[in-house]
C-alpha cells in the first residue's frame, strides 16, 4: 500500500485547476498524468530577458521585454498564422505571430491602440521582425518581466510555457512534508536542500545542488529496489540444476567456443547448481555468440529433467531463434516448440499440452509463453532475450511460472557502460562476451557525404545486381516540416521508382502483420533492399545482406550505429557499412563517425558514447537501453550513482533495511519513484 502522505502527489492532473479533457491530451503526450509528474517536470533551461526601449536595440534571437502598441490585426485563410502588427516608441513595426487557437488569446490581449509590455524572442520573418507566441503580454510596467529568471519547459502541441508554469506552481503547492531518507553523513557532506525545498528551487533557477539532490533520490530508490530484489532472490528456494553433459556432448558445432563463451557457460553452470535461483545478465557484443551460450544453459536444464523457456521481444526474433536453435540442437533429439500470439486452434492446443505433460523440452516465443493459460510441467530456466525491453517488474512476473522460482538468464546485444549496467541491472550478476568468434570478418566502415547520394544509389544498384541484399536506414518515418531529416517513407518512394518490387519498407508505425510480411520477404531473399527506421536495430539475422547504408548517421548515438552496423557481416561474404553524413556536422558528430571507422568493439563504443553524451546531449533518437531514469541525466548517473549505491548498501547492511526511522523514509522514497516492486518483495511488505 502506498503511504497516505504521498496520496496528494498521485492524484490525476485533472484535479488541478484549468485541466480539462482538451489539456489532458498534450499532457499525456509528455507523460504528465499525475500531480507528481508535473512536479518532476523540471525545466530544460532558464531565460533572463533584457528590457529594450526600441526594436533597434534588440538582436535577432534575443529574449527581450519591450513596450509595443498594436496597430492592426491580420488573420490568414485556412491554417495560416494570425498576426498582430505593433509598433515601438520609435515607430518600428514588429509582428506578434500566433498559430492555431492561440489567435483568440491575441484578440483579447492585444487591443489596437493600447500599449502592452511584451516578452519573447525576436526573430526575422522576411523583411519584418517578429515575436512568435509571446511568452507574456501585460498591461502594467514590464519591470516584473525583466526580473524573472524564467523556466523553459518541454512542451507538446497545445501547451504553452505560462500554462505549464501555472500547473507546476499548483503541483508544488501540494507537496507534502516528507522525512529525510538520505544517510545523515552524506546529506551533511553534500550540503543539499531538503526534498521539498529542492523541488521548488529546481523550478526557480539554475541550482545544481537542488538538481543533484533530486537525481540522487531517483538513483537511491533504484539502487535500493534492485538490492531488495537481489536479497529476496537469495532467500527464495529454487531448484539446483546439475547437468551430466549427455545432451551438450551431442552438439556438433562447426566451431570452437571462444574463451569468453566457455567462461560464461561455466559461470552459468555454477549458478544453476545453486539452490538460490540464478539472476544473471549475459552481455554480448553484436555477433559474439550469445545464442550458443543460451542453448548450453537450456540443455543443462534439460539434462536435469527440467524445461526451459526463451522469451523474445518480437515475433520475428522469436521465429529466428526457433530456426537457429532447432538447427543447432537437432543432434540432441530434444523437442523445441515455438509459441506466439499468432498460434491458434489445434496447433496452439498441441503446444500447451506438450508443455503441460513435459514432452516439450524448450519453448521459444513472445510474451505469449507466460500467459495465464500456459502451464509447464516443470520449468527450470527462463532466458530473456533483449533484456532492455523488459522491466524488473516483468522479470519478476515471468519467474512465477515454475513450481519453484526458476533460474533466469537475461541477454542483451547492447553493450552497456559499466556505470549504466549497475543502474539497470544492479540485482544481477553479469557475464560479458568480449571476444568475437573466429572467422567473423570485420565490416568495412566508410563515411560518405550526403552530396554523393546518387553515387551511393548506383553502388546499391550494382550490389543488388550481383545477387546480394542491402539495408537502408533513415532517422525518421516521415519528413519533418521544420528539419531536413531523411525519412523512411520518402526514401522508400524514391528507391521504389528505381528498384520496383525489390524494395520493402519497415518502420515502427506499420501494423505488425505488414511489418512481419515485409521482413519475411527480405529474410527469404524475395526482396533485395530493406528501407527501415531503427526498428531493425536488434535481432534481425539475414546472412545474405552485406551492405548497410545509414542516412544522416550523425543523428544517431554510437551504440545505435554499432547495433545497426551489426545487421551485416553475419555471413561469409565481406560486408560494407556506409555512414551518410549531413553537411552541418557538429564536433561531437564528427568524433562519433571517426570512432565508428576506427573500432568495432561495442564495449569501447558504449563507454565513448557515454563520454560524448555526458551532459545529456542526444543527437537523434533515444538510445535503446539508455537509462531507466526521468530525473537523473547521464552525467549525474556517472557521478552520483556510486554514492547512491553505497548509501543503499549502508541502509540494507547497517541501518536495518526498511525498518526503523530511516527505513520508513526509504519506503516512502521507493513509492515516490514507483520502485515499489522492491517493497512488494518484503515478507508482509
Amino acid at each position: 500500500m502506498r503511504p497516505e502522505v504521498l496520496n496528494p502527489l498521485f492524484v490525476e492532473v485533472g484535479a488541478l485547476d484549468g485541466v480539462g479533457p482538451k489539456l489532458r491530451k498534450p499532457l499525456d503526450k509528455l507523460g504528465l498524468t499525475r500531480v507528481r509528474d508535473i512536479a518532476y517536470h523540471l525545466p530544460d533551461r532558464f531565460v533572463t530577458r533584457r528590457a529594450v526601449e526600441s526594436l533597434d536595440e534588440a538582436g535577432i534571437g534575443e529574449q527581450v521585454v519591450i513596450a509595443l502598441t498594436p496597430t492592426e490585426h491580420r488573420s490568414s485563410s485556412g491554417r495560416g498564422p494570425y498576426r498582430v502588427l505593433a509598433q515601438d516608441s520609435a515607430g518600428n513595426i514588429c509582428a506578434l505571430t500566433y498559430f492555431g487557437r492561440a489567435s483568440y488569446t491575441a484578440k483579447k490581449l492585444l487591443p489596437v491602440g493600447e500599449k502592452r509590455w511584451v516578452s519573447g524572442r525576436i526573430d526575422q520573418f522576411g523583411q519584418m521582425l517578429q515575436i512568435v507566441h509571446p511568452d507574456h503580454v501585460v498591461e502594467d510596467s514590464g519591470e516584473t518581466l525583466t526580473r524573472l529568471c524564467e523556466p523553459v519547459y518541454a512542451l507538446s502541441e497545445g501547451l504553452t510555457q505560462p500554462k505549464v508554469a501555472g500547473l507546476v506552481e499548483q503541483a508544488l503547492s501540494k507537496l507534502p512534508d516528507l522525512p529525510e531518507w538520505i544517510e545523515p553523513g552524506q546529506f551533511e557532506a553534500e550540503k543539499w536542500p531538503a526534498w521539498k525545498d529542492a523541488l521548488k528551487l529546481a523550478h526557480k533557477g539554475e541550482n545544481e545542488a537542488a538538481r543533484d539532490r533530486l537525481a540522487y533520490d531517483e538513483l537511491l530508490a533504484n539502487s535500493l529496489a534492485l538490492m531488495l530484489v537481489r536479497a529476496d532472490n537469495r532467500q527464495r528456494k529454487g531448484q539446483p540444476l546439475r547437468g551430466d553433459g549427455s545432451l551438450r556432448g551431442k552438439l556438433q558445432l562447426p566451431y570452437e567456443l571462444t574463451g569468453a563463451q566457455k567462461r560464461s557457460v561455466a559461470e552459468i553452470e555454477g549458478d544453476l547448481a545453486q539452490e538460490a535461483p540464478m539472476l544473471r545478465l549475459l552481455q554480448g557484443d553484436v555477433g559474439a555468440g550469445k545464442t550458443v551460450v543460451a542453448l548450453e544453459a537450456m540443455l543443462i536444464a534439460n539434462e536435469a529433467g527440467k524445461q526451459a523457456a526463451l522469451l523474445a521481444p518480437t515475433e520475428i526474433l522469436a521465429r529466428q531463434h526457433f530456426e537457429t536453435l532447432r538447427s543447432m540442437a537437432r543432434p540432441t533429439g530434444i523437442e523445441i516448440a515455438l509459441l506466439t500470439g499468432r498460434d491458434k486452434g489445434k496447433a496452439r492446443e498441441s503446444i500447451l499440452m506438450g508443455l503441460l505433460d513435459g514432452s516439450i523440452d524448450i519453448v521459444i516465443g513472445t510474451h505469449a509463453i507466460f500467459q495465464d493459460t500456459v502451464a509447464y510441467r516443470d520449468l527450470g530456466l527462463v532466458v530473456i532475450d533483449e533484456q532492455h525491453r523488459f522491466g524488473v517488474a516483468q522479470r519478476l512476473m515471468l519467474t512465477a511460472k515454475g513450481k519453484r522460482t526458476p533460474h533466469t538468464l537475461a541477454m542483451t546485444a547492447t553493450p552497456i557502460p559499466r556505470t549504466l549496467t549497475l543502474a539497470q541491472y544492479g540485482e544481477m550478476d553479469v557475464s560479458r562476451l568480449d571476444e568475437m568468434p573466429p572467422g567473423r570478418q570485420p565490416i568495412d566502415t566508410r563515411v560518405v557525404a550526403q552530396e554523393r547520394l546518387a553515387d551511393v544509389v548506383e553502388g546499391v544498384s550494382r550490389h543488388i545486381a550481383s545477387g546480394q541484399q542491402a539495408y537502408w536506414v533513415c532517422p525518421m518515418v516521415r519528413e519533418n516540416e521544420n528539419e531536413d531529416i531523411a525519412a523512411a517513407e520518402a526514401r522508400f518512394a524514391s528507391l521504389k521508382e528505381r528498384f520496383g518490387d525489390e524494395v520493402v519498407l519497415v518502420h515502427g508505425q506499420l501494423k505488425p502483420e505488414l511489418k512481419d510480411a515485409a521482413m519475411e520477404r527480405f529474410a527469404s531473399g524475395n526482396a533485395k533492399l530493406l528501407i527501415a527506421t531503427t526498428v531493425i536495430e536488434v535481432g534481425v539475422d539475414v546472412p545474405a545482406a552485406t551492405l548497410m547504408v545509414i542516412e544522416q548517421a550523425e543523428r544517431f548515438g554510437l551504440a545505435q550505429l554499432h547495433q545497426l552496423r551489426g545487421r551485416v557481416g553475419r555471413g561469409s561474404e565481406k560486408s560494407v557499412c556506409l555512414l551518410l553524413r549531413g553537411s552541418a556536422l557538429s564536433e561531437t558528430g564528427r568524433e562519433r563517425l571517426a570512432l565508428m571507422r576506427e573500432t568495432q568493439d561495442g564495449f569501447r563504443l558504449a563507454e565513448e558514447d557515454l563520454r560524448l553524451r555526458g551532459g545529456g546531449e542526444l543527437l537523434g533518437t533515444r538510445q535503446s537501453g539508455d537509462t531507466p531514469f526521468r530525473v537523473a541525466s547521464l552525467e549525474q548517473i556517472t557521478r552520483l550513482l556510486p554514492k547512491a549505491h553505497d548509501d543503499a548498501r549502508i541502509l540494507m547492511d547497517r541501518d536495518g533495511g526498511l525498518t526503523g526511522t530511516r527505513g520508513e523514509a526509504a519506503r516512502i522514497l521507493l513509492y515516490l519513484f514507483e520502485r515499489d516492486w522492491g517493497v512488494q518483495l518484503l515478507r508482509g511488505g
Side-chain angles (χ1 to χ4, degrees):
M1 286 277 293
R2 183 191 301 129
E4 283 187 21
V5 69
L6 292 178
N7 286 347
L9 294 177
F10 283 85
V11 296
E12 295 195 354
V13 288
L16 298 177
D17 293 341
V19 180
K22 192 185 295 181
L23 200 59
R24 290 288 287 264
K25 287 183 180 177
L27 290 173
D28 282 350
K29 281 184 184 173
L30 292 171
L32 307 178
T33 59
R34 300 153 309 179
V35 170
R36 177 215 174 278
D37 305 324
I38 299 284
Y40 273 99
H41 188 57
L42 301 180
D44 288 339
R45 57 191 171 86
F46 293 86
V47 295
T48 305
R49 308 182 191 285
R50 185 168 71 94
V52 294
E53 290 285 328
S54 75
L55 291 162
D56 294 329
E57 298 174 44
I60 300 299
E62 188 180 2
Q63 298 280 353
V64 300
V65 175
I66 186 168
L68 296 172
T69 303
T71 59
E72 182 186 350
H73 283 238
R74 290 182 182 176
S75 57
S76 305
S77 57
R79 295 192 170 190
Y82 186 92
R83 289 192 171 90
V84 181
L85 301 188
Q87 65 181 20
D88 64 12
S89 57
N92 298 311
I93 297 294
C94 176
L96 306 177
T97 305
Y98 293 83
F99 292 91
R101 295 180 178 275
S103 60
Y104 297 114
T105 307
K107 291 173 186 174
K108 287 182 184 176
L109 289 178
L110 295 157
V112 171
E114 295 188 23
K115 186 168 80 171
R116 293 289 183 265
W117 289 89
V118 178
S119 71
R121 174 190 157 113
I122 298 287
D123 288 311
Q124 185 103 30
F125 177 70
Q127 297 300 309
M128 185 180 285
L129 295 177
Q130 75 169 352
I131 298 176
V132 178
H133 284 280
D135 296 320
H136 298 281
V137 176
V138 298
E139 286 185 51
D140 57 355
S141 163
E143 281 184 34
T144 53
L145 299 182
T146 59
R147 286 201 303 268
L148 284 177
C149 177
E150 193 165 321
V152 179
Y153 295 98
L155 302 176
S156 62
E157 189 178 353
L159 285 176
T160 62
Q161 293 295 342
K163 175 59 75 176
V164 173
L167 294 176
V168 166
E169 194 173 333
Q170 286 189 65
L172 294 178
S173 72
K174 297 181 183 299
L175 295 181
D177 292 309
L178 299 180
E180 186 53 70
W181 42 71
I182 298 175
E183 197 274 324
Q186 171 82 359
F187 185 71
E188 286 298 320
E190 298 291 350
K191 295 184 168 55
W192 282 333
W195 169 77
K196 190 173 179 178
D197 294 335
L199 256 178
K200 290 180 177 179
L201 287 168
H203 286 279
K204 281 185 179 172
E206 301 288 356
N207 191 312
E208 190 178 340
R211 295 290 285 243
D212 277 359
R213 154 76 207 233
L214 299 176
Y216 184 86
D217 289 344
E218 185 175 35
L219 296 169
L220 178 60
N222 196 68
S223 295
L224 184 56
L226 293 177
M227 282 182 193
L228 289 167
V229 171
R230 193 179 182 101
D232 173 79
N233 194 66
R234 286 179 170 169
Q235 290 170 12
R236 286 177 182 269
K237 284 269 191 280
Q239 39 193 349
L241 306 183
R242 294 184 180 87
D244 57 9
S246 58
L247 295 174
R248 284 170 288 163
K250 294 177 182 175
L251 286 178
Q252 297 169 3
L253 300 176
Y255 45 79
E256 177 80 10
L257 294 185
T258 65
Q261 285 174 313
K262 290 175 181 175
R263 182 181 68 239
S264 297
V265 170
E267 289 167 347
I268 291 164
E269 190 167 13
D271 285 357
L272 292 175
Q274 307 303 312
E275 188 173 54
M278 173 175 73
L279 264 182
R280 182 168 287 276
L281 176 70
L282 179 64
Q283 271 191 303
D285 203 348
V286 178
K290 295 183 305 302
T291 308
V292 180
V293 175
L295 176 59
E296 294 258 356
M298 291 189 285
L299 290 178
I300 293 171
N302 294 159
E303 288 168 0
K306 309 297 180 186
Q307 294 165 296
L310 189 154
L311 174 70
T314 65
E315 191 167 310
I316 293 168
L317 197 47
R319 289 184 184 281
Q320 198 168 282
H321 276 312
F322 175 63
E323 297 298 339
T324 303
L325 291 171
R326 190 169 58 168
S327 172
M328 279 185 189
R330 191 165 284 123
T332 67
I334 63 165
E335 187 66 30
I336 301 180
L338 174 70
L339 181 63
T340 70
R342 253 196 217 181
D343 296 301
K344 301 282 188 286
K346 288 184 178 178
R348 178 180 169 82
E349 286 301 318
S350 173
I351 295 169
L352 294 183
M353 188 56 67
L355 291 172
L356 189 58
D357 65 22
S359 58
I360 291 174
D361 302 292
I362 295 174
V363 65
I364 297 162
T366 55
H367 61 275
I369 63 177
F370 289 101
Q371 288 173 348
D372 290 342
T373 52
V374 182
Y376 296 79
R377 184 182 66 79
D378 199 350
L379 181 61
L381 172 66
V382 175
V383 179
I384 305 172
D385 194 21
E386 290 317 324
Q387 168 57 39
H388 65 268
R389 309 281 186 94
F390 304 96
V392 177
Q394 289 166 293
R395 302 205 284 267
L396 296 172
M397 190 175 68
L398 302 181
T399 57
K401 281 290 180 183
K403 292 176 182 175
R404 289 189 177 183
T405 304
H407 298 273
T408 302
L409 175 66
M411 305 194 297
T412 178
T414 307
I416 305 168
R418 291 186 186 277
T419 309
L420 295 189
T421 302
L422 182 64
Q424 291 180 260
Y425 307 117
E427 87 282 21
M428 293 184 164
D429 297 305
V430 179
S431 293
R432 277 191 166 201
L433 295 180
D434 47 13
E435 292 176 59
M436 297 304 280
R440 192 161 160 118
Q441 294 188 50
I443 298 162
D444 182 7
T445 305
R446 307 171 196 169
V447 179
V448 182
Q450 188 79 20
E451 291 78 41
R452 292 182 57 200
L453 183 64
D455 294 340
V456 172
V457 173
E458 282 302 321
V460 170
S461 179
R462 291 192 298 273
H463 187 81
I464 289 173
S466 72
Q468 299 183 80
Q469 292 172 274
Y471 296 98
W472 190 302
V473 177
C474 301
M476 289 182 68
V477 176
R478 296 184 185 89
E479 296 285 4
N480 184 315
E481 290 176 9
N482 303 317
E483 294 184 77
D484 179 23
I485 304 175
E489 288 182 342
R491 186 59 64 215
F492 171 68
S494 67
L495 292 175
K496 190 169 176 63
E497 285 182 20
R498 174 71 180 265
F499 299 111
D501 288 340
E502 293 197 305
V503 187
V504 289
L505 172 68
V506 170
H507 58 71
Q509 294 176 24
L510 280 180
K511 290 181 178 176
E513 56 270 25
L514 294 176
K515 190 162 54 177
D516 287 352
M519 287 300 309
E520 281 168 16
R521 276 199 67 207
F522 186 68
S524 66
N526 292 325
K528 299 298 182 187
L529 178 59
L530 174 65
I531 313 295
T533 55
T534 55
V535 72
I536 59 132
E537 178 186 337
V538 165
V540 181
D541 188 6
V542 182
T546 53
L547 174 63
M548 167 65 73
V549 180
I550 304 175
E551 199 163 350
Q552 288 184 312
E554 73 276 8
R555 298 192 65 85
F556 297 95
L558 270 174
Q560 207 165 27
L561 287 173
H562 181 63
Q563 286 293 318
L564 291 167
R565 176 170 61 184
R567 296 308 102 214
V568 297
R570 307 177 82 82
S572 56
E573 297 290 323
K574 183 170 180 57
S575 291
V576 176
C577 176
L578 300 181
L579 304 173
L580 267 63
R581 61 165 178 81
S583 53
L585 200 59
S586 69
E587 196 54 46
T588 305
R590 196 179 304 279
E591 195 172 345
R592 264 200 193 97
L593 299 185
L595 278 163
M596 284 296 293
R597 290 184 61 191
E598 182 185 322
T599 183
Q600 297 188 26
D601 179 345
F603 289 102
R604 184 190 162 198
L605 288 172
E607 297 291 347
E608 291 289 342
D609 207 21
L610 184 61
R611 178 182 65 80
L612 288 173
R613 292 187 291 140
E617 184 226 33
L618 277 172
L619 279 183
T621 53
R622 180 179 168 82
Q623 296 283 290
S624 293
D626 217 0
T627 82
F629 306 113
R630 287 186 66 167
V631 180
S633 69
L634 282 168
E635 184 275 329
Q636 287 171 319
I637 294 167
T638 307
R639 180 164 48 87
L640 298 174
L641 182 63
K643 294 178 182 178
H645 192 74
D646 289 345
D647 194 354
R649 174 69 60 213
I650 288 169
L651 178 63
M652 292 293 288
D653 294 349
R654 188 195 75 186
D655 295 349
L658 298 193
T659 59
T661 306
R662 188 177 168 219
E664 285 299 321
R667 191 182 291 251
I668 290 171
L669 172 70
L670 288 168
Y671 277 98
L672 177 65
F673 281 99
E674 296 178 287
R675 301 299 201 273
D676 43 288
W677 32 262
V679 182
Q680 310 305 329
L681 294 172
L682 295 178
R683 302 290 174 258

